[in-house]
Amino acid sequence: ASRLRLCGLCFLLQILNILLFAVFVRYSPESSPGRCPPQLNCSRRNQDSAFQQPRFQDVHIQVLLSFGLLVAFLSRYGPGSVAISILIIAFAIQWAVLIQGFFNFFLNGKIYVESQSMVSADFCTAAVLISTGAVLGRVNPVQMLLLALLEVTLCTLNEYILLSLMGVSDSGRSLTVHTFGAYFGLMASRVLYQPHKDKRKREEQQDKGQQADVFAVVGTIYLWIFWPSFTSAATVHDNARNWAVLNTYFSLVASTAATFILSPVLYEESTPRMVQIQDATLAGMAVMGMAGEMLVTPFGALLAGFLVGLISQLGFKFFTPVLHSRLKIQDTCGVHNIHGLPGILGALLGTLLTLLATADTYGDRLELVFPLVAQGTRTVTDQALIQLGALPVTLLFATLGGCLTGAVLKTKALRCSTDAQYMENTVFWEVKLGNC
C-alpha cells in the first residue's frame, strides 16, 4: 500500500507539472536564436548564456552529489535516504521552475526560462534538501514529496519578498536557503515529534556504521570543489563573483581548522571524525552566503569561518541535546548547527558589513553589491536596517511554514502502517539483506 501511494502521488504530480509546463513555460528568447520580443532585453543574449551555464552545472552537481552523500550516513536507511533525495530533486526542480517563474519570469501569460531559472530552482531545491535532513528517518517518501511541494512554494514567496520587494542583498542565500531550510525543517520535526517512539528511533539513527566516514570523505571533497560556485552563482557580474568565491574558500579553511582545534577538547577522540570535518565545511560556507560578496579582505573571511567553526561544534555538543530534551526537536542531520546558526550569523555579519559599505571601500563594486545605495535611492543605514529586517521575516515564514507542513504530514492518512517502516530500506527499495 505504501508503494502504491508513492507511485500514485508521483504520477499525479508529474502529470500536473507536464500540463503546467505545456501551458505556461517557454524558452526565453534571450537564450535562443531568432527574433526577440521588444519586451525582453536580448542585448546580453550570448553573454548571459555563456555566463550562466557553467554556474548551473556547478550548482546542480553540488545539489545532487553533495546533498545526496550527506544523507547516506544511516546504516539501516542509507540507500533509502539517498533515493528519496534524488526523488525530491527530480520533483522540486520542476515545481520550483514553475513557482519561481510566476513570481520572477512571467510575461504576457508565459514563463520564460533560461539558465538563470535553473540556478534559482536549484537554490530552492537545496533549501528543501536541508529541511529533509531535520526529519530524515521520521517521514516516508510520500510525506517527503508533500514537504517539497509546500516548501518550494513558501521558499519562493519568501525569496520574492526579500530579494525583489525589500531589495535585500543575499546572493549566496544565507537567509533564503540555509536559514529558511533549517528552521522550516526543525519546526516540521517539532510538530512530528512522538515521545513514546522517539527514543527507539534515536538509537536506530545513531547506528551509522563505518560507511558513514566513507560517504563523508566523498561528500566533503565535493563540498570543497563546488560549494564556492554555489555561493557565487547568483551574483550578477564576475567582479563580485570573485569576492564571493575567494571569501568562501577562506571561510571554509578556517572553519575546518577550528574543528581540529576544538573537537579533541569536546570529545574523547584525538582527531575529529570525517563527519565533523564535513559539518565544519558546510558551516564555514553557509556563513558566507550573504557576506561573501561584501567582505573586502581575506582577514574577515578567515575570522568569520573560524568563529562559525567553533560555534558549530559547540552547538553539536551542548545545544543539540537541549533541542531534543527541552524543545522536543529531533534534528537527524544536525541542520541547526551546520545551516541554521551559520545562516543567522551570516545575516548578522552581512548587516554589519552593510553599515561599513562606502564608495572608498568598495569602489566600482558598490554598484554591484548595493545598487540602490550606489544610485542614491537608499542610504547605507536604510540598507542595513533592511538587511537586518530580512532575518525575522525569514524566520517567520520558516517557522509558520514548517508548523503548517508538519501538521499536514502528521495526518493519519499519510503515515505508514507501522513506524518501523520509516527506518528500513526494504519497505520502498530492493536491497540485499546483508545491507540492512
Side-chain angles (χ1 to χ4, degrees):
S2 298
R3 295 185 182 186
L4 290 177
R5 282 191 297 175
L6 177 60
C7 294
L9 182 61
C10 287
F11 176 78
L12 292 176
L13 291 178
Q14 188 59 44
I15 292 297
L16 176 63
N17 282 330
I18 291 174
L19 292 176
L20 291 175
F21 266 74
V23 175
F24 294 107
V25 179
R26 301 291 184 271
Y27 286 119
S28 174
E30 297 181 16
S31 57
S32 61
R35 185 177 179 181
C36 181
Q39 298 92 338
L40 298 176
N41 179 19
C42 299
S43 60
R44 299 176 61 250
R45 171 184 293 174
N46 295 331
Q47 179 183 354
D48 178 78
S49 178
F51 181 70
Q52 292 294 347
Q53 287 177 3
R55 295 190 180 189
F56 163 66
Q57 294 169 4
D58 289 349
V59 171
H60 195 61
I61 290 172
Q62 171 69 27
V63 169
L64 190 62
L65 281 175
S66 298
F67 279 101
L69 292 169
L70 283 174
V71 298
F73 65 94
L74 299 175
S75 63
R76 300 177 63 185
Y77 195 54
S81 59
V82 175
I84 290 175
S85 70
I86 295 174
L87 173 63
I88 290 173
I89 292 170
F91 167 72
I93 286 179
Q94 300 176 71
W95 190 243
V97 168
L98 286 168
I99 300 301
Q100 291 182 337
F102 286 117
F103 281 99
N104 302 313
F105 306 103
F106 196 69
L107 180 65
N108 296 331
K110 301 296 179 183
I111 298 172
Y112 292 95
V113 299
E114 55 186 357
S115 297
Q116 180 60 39
S117 306
M118 298 301 295
V119 172
S120 300
D122 273 328
F123 274 126
C124 193
T125 302
V128 177
L129 292 173
I130 290 171
S131 298
T132 60
V135 297
L136 187 65
R138 308 181 69 197
V139 294
N140 56 48
V142 172
Q143 293 170 310
M144 285 286 199
L145 274 177
L146 293 176
L147 181 145
L149 177 72
L150 296 172
E151 183 171 1
V152 165
T153 305
L154 293 172
C155 180
T156 301
L157 178 59
N158 177 68
E159 182 180 284
Y160 177 75
I161 292 174
L162 264 60
L163 304 185
S164 298
L165 299 183
M166 297 176 62
V168 175
S169 178
D170 187 23
S171 63
R173 304 300 196 264
S174 279
L175 287 175
T176 57
V177 171
H178 296 285
T179 304
F180 183 90
Y183 288 97
F184 188 99
L186 290 172
M187 293 310 300
S189 177
R190 174 63 184 88
V191 175
L192 293 169
Y193 178 77
Q194 294 176 295
H196 61 286
K197 301 163 185 172
D198 185 70
K199 182 178 180 180
R200 176 183 59 81
K201 287 181 181 293
R202 188 170 72 253
E203 292 172 352
E204 289 176 341
Q205 289 171 346
Q206 291 173 348
D207 179 22
K208 298 170 183 172
Q210 296 181 352
Q211 64 180 0
D213 285 338
V214 177
F215 287 121
V217 170
V218 181
T220 304
I221 291 173
Y222 276 106
L223 288 172
W224 276 68
I225 295 173
F226 292 108
W227 198 282
S229 297
F230 183 93
T231 304
S232 63
T235 54
V236 180
H237 299 281
D238 281 332
N239 289 337
R241 186 191 182 201
N242 293 337
W243 280 9
V245 171
L246 294 174
N247 285 328
T248 302
Y249 269 116
F250 286 126
S251 177
L252 76 90
V253 297
S255 178
T256 303
T259 303
F260 280 87
I261 294 172
L262 191 59
S263 181
V265 178
L266 297 178
Y267 305 96
E268 296 180 356
E269 297 93 340
S270 58
T271 57
R273 294 171 299 175
M274 200 65 204
V275 174
Q276 295 172 338
I277 300 174
Q278 186 181 50
D279 294 339
T281 304
L282 279 166
M285 288 186 263
V287 76
M288 284 293 108
M290 180 182 290
E293 64 177 2
M294 300 179 186
L295 283 166
V296 297
T297 61
F299 159 76
L302 288 172
L303 180 60
F306 182 74
L307 291 177
V308 80
L310 297 177
I311 292 172
S312 178
Q313 290 297 312
L314 291 172
F316 274 107
K317 181 65 176 180
F318 299 108
F319 201 71
T320 297
V322 174
L323 280 178
H324 179 261
S325 60
R326 300 292 179 86
L327 302 179
K328 310 304 180 184
I329 297 176
Q330 183 179 346
D331 187 2
T332 307
C333 295
V335 298
H336 181 259
N337 302 305
I338 59 181
H339 295 286
L341 283 178
I344 291 177
L345 293 174
L348 296 176
L349 177 60
T351 301
L352 176 62
L353 293 173
T354 303
L355 287 173
L356 304 176
T358 61
D360 295 334
T361 304
Y362 280 65
D364 295 337
R365 298 186 181 186
L366 181 64
E367 186 176 359
L368 306 180
V369 182
F370 302 110
L372 296 178
V373 175
Q375 297 167 8
T377 307
R378 288 179 182 170
T379 65
V380 172
T381 304
D382 292 338
Q383 184 67 39
L385 291 175
I386 290 175
Q387 297 285 129
L388 182 62
L391 178 58
V393 171
T394 299
L395 292 175
L396 178 64
F397 269 94
T399 52
L400 294 180
C403 290
L404 173 64
T405 302
V408 173
L409 302 185
K410 199 174 183 180
T411 57
K412 187 176 181 180
L414 296 176
R415 294 201 297 263
C416 291
S417 57
T418 59
D419 294 306
Q421 291 181 350
Y422 291 104
M423 294 297 299
E424 298 293 344
N425 290 305
T426 53
V427 178
F428 295 100
W429 321 109
E430 297 293 341
V431 294
K432 296 179 180 179
L433 293 178
N435 292 337
C436 294

